[in-house]
Amino acid sequence: METLTLLLELALTFFLIGTFTIGGGYAMLSLIQGEVVLKHAWISAGTFADIVAVSQMTPGPVGINTATYVGYDVLVQATGSPWMGIAGSALSTFALMLPSFLIMLLIVRFYRQFKTSTLYAGTMDFLRPCVVGLIGAAAVVLIVHTTWDGCNPTFSLVRDNFPDRKSWVLLGGGYLLARKGVSPIQLILGAGALGLILY
Amino acid sequence: MAEAVPLWKIFAVFAKIGAFTIGGGYAMIPLIQAELGRRGWIPEEELPDIVAISQSAPGVMAVNISIFAGHRLRGLKGSVAATLGSVLPSFLMILLVAAFFTAFRDNPYVERVFLGIRPVVIALIAVPMVRMARRSCRSWWSWTIAVLSLLLVAFLQVSPVWILLCTLVLGFSLTYARQWKR
């Protein structure tokens, strides 16, 4: 029964994420993080970073891969059964794509009106910077954890992701190399090898 | 739509595209161009439109492109075949990897590898953000929206869903008001 509730909750959560993902895979990451790490606390910030890393190295869109992985992980954690994990990942992936399906079918029908609508273009001008902020927040949440005591915030580093100073060097180096166009796969492989040497 | 393309073929072609798309939707565009253009499934000149629409509709671009292109070929059935095809390879791959990592997560070597990887993941999220900011934050109000959204989500733990909803309503009403004035 508990497992069923969890599956249902997972499906609803990913349906919601699919509906509100505007601006592609990285925007989806910020939504998945908001729902799965912050709201439901199904997964820790450290594990989330691992899942994103794996999703970037495997074929397919990062957002979908992350959803598949999260669905698996949540169910395995809750039940200990890999079969339930498969059910969880299938359900999350399906629920995530369902809104796209419904909306795209509408768009296919009205696609010419849609393309030339200035109302649509104007609204997107507002949504795009919003998505930029959301993606930024996804990165910040992996670095800083904020707790509130009434109106007083306490900031602390996410130790899972930043155990020491070397992490900052990796972050800075990774940023510069990624800007130069080094592929995510090469970067992640390199960083993994460095982790093995440094820690 | 001259003659009906078999559904299994739609599935197979999109599975091929899905299996070779590494690193997200943009990597998919040249593959789509090669596979669909070559077969004459989608006219070359329609491709930019399809990409633009798939980008701005909710969800992941790769899935949206599959839905759109599949629909062009065989309607709803085509959409389902194309989407299943493009998602299946990565789905299976992730399941394999997830099963492996869940078993080995507490291994000290795996832990060390991921200590190295995690900061780089953050860098990999930051790079597309900066690129998007440069493209879409060009006025004081767009910067305000971006910074406010970041602060609210990162430090006040407001759900991104609310932020998007509010921005949607605000953007829609302001655009509507501006057009109405004219």
Side-chain angles (χ1 to χ4, degrees):
Chain A
M1 196 54 218
E2 257 169 53
T3 314
L4 205 65
T5 323
L6 186 61
L7 279 171
L8 208 68
E9 242 181 311
L10 206 62
L12 266 173
T13 304
F14 277 102
F15 185 82
L16 193 74
I17 292 170
T19 312
F20 284 97
T21 297
I22 296 161
Y26 287 94
M28 189 175 265
L29 286 186
S30 74
L31 281 160
I32 296 179
Q33 192 183 45
E35 292 293 308
V36 171
V37 179
L38 296 180
K39 190 172 150 202
H40 292 284
W42 281 328
I43 277 178
S44 72
T47 310
F48 186 75
D50 297 351
I51 292 180
V52 174
V54 170
S55 302
Q56 270 171 327
M57 285 192 290
T58 36
V62 178
I64 303 250
N65 289 351
T66 305
T68 308
Y69 199 136
V70 166
Y72 182 87
D73 205 88
V74 171
L75 260 289
V76 169
Q77 269 184 47
T79 65
S81 146
W83 297 109
M84 287 314 291
I86 294 177
S89 61
L91 191 69
S92 315
T93 313
F94 176 76
L96 185 73
M97 294 189 306
L98 196 60
S100 298
F101 237 93
L102 304 176
I103 293 167
M104 278 305 284
L105 290 180
L106 268 179
I107 291 179
V108 171
R109 203 148 292 169
F110 300 106
Y111 127 80
R112 274 172 221 290
Q113 289 99 306
F114 198 71
K115 219 178 72 186
T116 50
S117 156
T118 48
L119 196 57
Y120 172 75
T123 310
M124 282 309 286
D125 283 345
F126 282 81
L127 281 172
R128 268 188 222 109
C130 175
V131 168
V132 171
L134 294 183
I135 299 175
V140 170
V141 170
L142 290 176
I143 304 174
V144 189
H145 182 69
T146 318
T147 39
W148 289 85
D149 178 27
C151 288
N152 307 312
T154 321
F155 304 105
S156 54
L157 262 184
V158 178
R159 284 284 160 207
D160 273 357
N161 298 342
F162 286 86
D164 57 21
R165 287 211 189 118
K166 282 174 276 183
S167 312
W168 294 102
V169 179
L170 284 163
L171 172 64
Y175 184 82
L176 290 176
L177 288 172
R179 286 254 341 238
K180 288 221 158 137
V182 179
S183 88
I185 302 178
Q186 288 170 335
L187 275 177
I188 291 174
L189 289 178
L194 273 177
L196 214 47
I197 298 166
L198 292 173
Y199 293 101
Chain B
M1 237 187 288
E3 60 197 276
V5 182
L7 288 175
W8 67 266
K9 201 162 183 191
I10 299 179
F11 176 85
V13 168
F14 276 90
K16 188 173 161 196
I17 296 172
F20 289 99
T21 305
I22 298 175
Y26 292 96
M28 194 188 187
I29 297 172
L31 274 164
I32 293 251
Q33 214 157 14
E35 291 294 325
L36 303 189
R38 184 163 58 90
R39 288 189 168 74
W41 285 3
I42 303 274
E44 284 286 337
E45 67 273 11
E46 260 181 50
L47 206 72
D49 275 359
I50 294 183
V51 171
I53 287 171
S54 305
Q55 260 176 319
S56 45
V60 169
M61 195 178 83
V63 169
N64 291 341
I65 291 183
S66 311
I67 296 173
F68 200 123
H71 196 272
R72 289 263 93 178
L73 293 164
R74 284 292 299 272
L76 185 60
K77 278 185 211 156
S79 291
V80 174
T83 312
L84 280 180
S86 67
V87 172
L88 200 64
S90 49
F91 182 79
L92 295 176
M93 196 62 191
I94 286 279
L95 272 189
L96 261 175
V97 174
F100 177 82
F101 272 114
T102 319
F104 289 90
R105 181 167 298 148
D106 298 329
N107 179 301
Y109 289 104
V110 173
E111 248 167 63
R112 274 155 64 194
V113 167
F114 274 99
L115 278 180
I117 289 177
R118 285 176 196 155
V120 173
V121 169
I122 299 168
L124 287 173
I125 296 177
V127 170
M129 179 200 80
V130 171
R131 201 173 296 146
M132 280 173 82
R134 224 179 265 147
R135 235 184 308 133
S136 39
C137 298
R138 288 202 172 132
S139 53
W140 64 267
W141 58 264
S142 50
W143 277 110
T144 313
I145 294 175
V147 171
L148 259 180
S149 318
L150 191 150
L151 294 177
L152 284 173
V153 174
F155 298 112
L156 285 165
Q157 279 123 20
V158 180
S159 162
V161 172
W162 287 115
I163 311 271
L164 280 166
L165 261 182
C166 294
T167 316
L168 183 76
V169 171
L170 180 83
F172 188 84
S173 5
L174 285 180
T175 316
Y176 192 80
R178 208 185 300 153
Q179 285 185 0
W180 188 73
K181 242 192 275 169
R182 245 183 262 146

